[in-house]
Amino acid sequence: MRIGIVCYPTFGGSGVVATELGLALAGEGHVVHFITYDRPVRLDPRIANVFYHEVRVSDYPLFDYQPYELVLTSKLVDVVMHERLDLLHVHYAIPHASAAWMAQQILQAKGIRIPFITTLHGTDITLVGRDPSFEPVITFAMEHSTAVTAVSESLRKDTYEHFPVHREIQVIPNFIRMDRYASAANPQLRERFAPRGEKLLVHVSNFRPVKRVMDVLKVFTAVREQMPARLLLIGDGPDRHAAETYCRANGTCNDVLFLGKMTDPEAVVASCDLFLLTSETESFGLAALEAMACGVPVVSTNTGGTPEVVENGVAGLMNPVGDVEAMTRNALTILGSPASLANFREGARRSASRFDIARVLPRYEALYAEVVEQVKVDGIHQ
Ligand code: GMT
């Protein structure tokens, strides 16, 4: 098939999932065209069957706000026509789903039928989407997508709760390439980050308030009082300054390492002992799944879709949002003995393998075949 993928090219999980999906599809012989404003961070241009189309918005001085959605729409029309695409798959509803719908209507007027699938990733529904000013557009775009998927049961439920949507939403969970993480641990990195044999805790996020990064620091500080430990923070974002200020105030700066954004965090994560995910909510928690695939257990909050990903008591331990004491206890339980850590490590990897790409990719391919057929038979939903 000839597939167009629209996503955010940044470090967020939705962009990572879209890119990995496209690469896997290309590996199966499909031709995949990425359409977005920058090359997705994990997109290697040397890979066969993969193409990238940049959406460039000119900065005409009349516009205080550049009309990205319209430029994206025009680009979609152009790529669908000239690359003879069979379908579009847009990741993250805002503004990709409504742009895809507009492109579909324009193409219809030219006699071209193109189905589009919208995959909901989380904040498009749970945070941004709940801003009432977005509601009518997102609802409309979901209703008029040829198919809609959500990355967890929890997100599917949230979508029905927060939007007046009546159509079917299929859950296709995020996935992981287990082989990519199999041998990621690096003894030299371990030696560098834990020179005195400290336990290594790690957190990866965009440091937005929803991640509750201060809880990560509080848990780490409490764990460090019980055992030699260091914390690696991967990513960057609005709460980084507050995190640094906290470390300075608590005298933990030497043991908290801010590594910034990384395109391949697995080498570092795999060399750690425990992943902390303290979020207010996560539709899925891809960062936790990546850690599990590396054999790193997770202490996480039990909200949103995370309980569908982190098997409590097997891949890690869960606790309510904001319960720093429980998180500390859980961290100490996992790290408390070599036997416990080894058990959780093994459980984490086993648990992650439920999401191996080999199980998930065929579900997307089946859906693609279905929507292409549906549009042939029923035409476009106006
Ligand atoms: O977590 C973020 O803020 C980034 C966001 C994104 O759009 O990339 O992540 C969302 O999508 C990921 C991939 O499906 C999920 O693993 C994350 O749980 C989800 N984030 C939230 O729901 C907060």
Side-chain angles (χ1 to χ4, degrees):
M1 271 188 219
R2 304 177 68 81
I3 301 155
I5 291 187
V6 181
C7 65
Y8 281 105
T10 51
F11 286 86
S14 62
V16 168
V17 166
T19 309
E20 293 289 353
L21 176 61
L23 295 178
L25 290 163
E28 293 296 310
H30 299 285
V31 175
V32 181
H33 290 261
F34 285 89
I35 305 143
T36 181
Y37 60 82
D38 208 349
R39 182 178 289 283
V41 286
R42 287 199 188 175
L43 191 66
D44 181 342
R46 292 165 299 184
I47 293 172
N49 296 337
V50 172
F51 300 89
Y52 161 60
H53 305 264
E54 186 164 300
V55 180
R56 183 115 315 277
V57 184
S58 62
D59 55 355
Y60 187 59
L62 175 69
F63 301 133
D64 278 342
Y65 303 100
Q66 308 305 324
Y68 177 70
E69 194 169 347
L70 295 185
V71 184
L72 172 62
T73 303
S74 292
K75 184 61 102 180
L76 291 178
V77 169
D78 183 75
V79 177
V80 169
M81 278 173 66
H82 295 290
E83 302 295 344
R84 292 169 287 106
L85 298 189
D86 296 308
L87 80 134
L88 291 171
H89 186 177
V90 304
H91 291 260
Y92 209 90
I94 305 167
H96 302 151
S98 43
W101 178 78
M102 277 195 282
Q104 185 190 56
Q105 299 305 305
I106 294 167
L107 286 158
Q108 164 96 329
K110 294 175 186 291
I112 297 170
R113 290 175 172 186
I114 183 94
F116 77 96
I117 298 170
T118 300
T119 289
L120 308 172
H121 277 275
T123 40
D124 42 356
I125 295 302
T126 54
L127 293 180
V128 189
R130 262 193 258 165
D131 173 344
S133 59
F134 284 116
E135 186 279 312
V137 179
I138 302 178
T139 302
F140 180 89
M142 284 195 281
E143 289 288 8
H144 288 76
S145 300
T146 320
V148 178
T149 73
V151 298
S152 64
E153 284 294 344
S154 152
L155 182 59
R156 176 174 184 270
K157 200 167 135 273
D158 280 344
T159 309
Y160 286 129
E161 242 162 58
H162 298 298
F163 292 84
V165 174
H166 303 291
R167 61 149 323 129
E168 188 202 345
I169 298 174
Q170 202 182 117
V171 175
I172 301 186
N174 287 334
F175 53 82
I176 197 101
R177 267 170 41 205
M178 286 299 285
D179 57 343
R180 179 185 171 129
Y181 298 87
S183 54
N186 178 331
Q188 274 119 32
L189 279 180
R190 173 94 204 177
E191 173 61 27
R192 179 179 152 213
F193 292 128
R196 286 171 292 280
E198 297 95 330
K199 287 284 179 269
L200 278 180
L201 285 69
V202 62
H203 171 77
V204 182
S205 80
N206 51 23
F207 288 55
R208 284 187 301 114
V210 70
K211 305 292 175 182
R212 296 182 65 98
V213 173
M214 300 314 286
D215 285 356
V216 172
L217 291 160
K218 288 178 192 164
V219 172
F220 168 70
T221 306
V223 168
R224 185 173 165 273
E225 282 166 12
Q226 305 294 323
M227 60 177 65
R230 300 188 96 193
L231 174 66
L232 307 184
L233 292 169
I234 300 176
D236 212 328
D239 286 345
R240 172 167 174 171
H241 180 69
E244 283 173 329
T245 307
Y246 182 92
C247 297
R248 286 176 202 137
N250 287 278
T252 53
C253 289
N254 285 343
D255 290 328
V256 180
L257 308 177
F258 290 85
L259 303 184
K261 292 177 181 169
M262 297 181 71
T263 44
D264 53 350
E266 61 270 16
V268 173
V269 173
S271 307
C272 295
D273 301 298
L274 185 68
F275 188 90
L276 296 176
L277 188 67
T278 51
S279 307
E280 182 83 36
T281 183
E282 286 287 341
S283 68
F284 186 87
L286 186 68
L289 179 59
E290 292 191 311
M292 286 158 55
C294 296
V296 176
V298 176
V299 163
S300 81
T301 46
N302 57 5
T303 57
T306 315
E308 296 171 45
V309 180
V310 181
E311 267 182 289
N312 196 20
V314 177
L317 292 169
M318 300 198 133
N319 35 258
V321 175
D323 192 342
V324 170
E325 274 177 29
M327 288 185 239
T328 306
R329 263 197 319 277
N330 287 340
L332 291 171
T333 301
I334 293 173
L335 298 172
S337 73
S340 157
L341 183 54
N343 265 342
F344 276 104
R345 277 192 183 284
E346 201 271 320
R349 208 166 146 74
R350 186 161 26 90
S351 192
S353 67
R354 294 173 300 148
F355 297 95
D356 189 31
I357 188 154
R359 293 174 177 221
V360 179
L361 190 63
R363 297 182 60 186
Y364 274 120
E365 286 181 294
L367 182 63
Y368 290 175
E370 213 176 277
V371 295
V372 168
E373 189 55 29
Q374 189 182 325
V375 161
K376 259 193 222 148
V377 175
D378 301 343
I380 300 289
H381 180 181
Q382 299 285 313

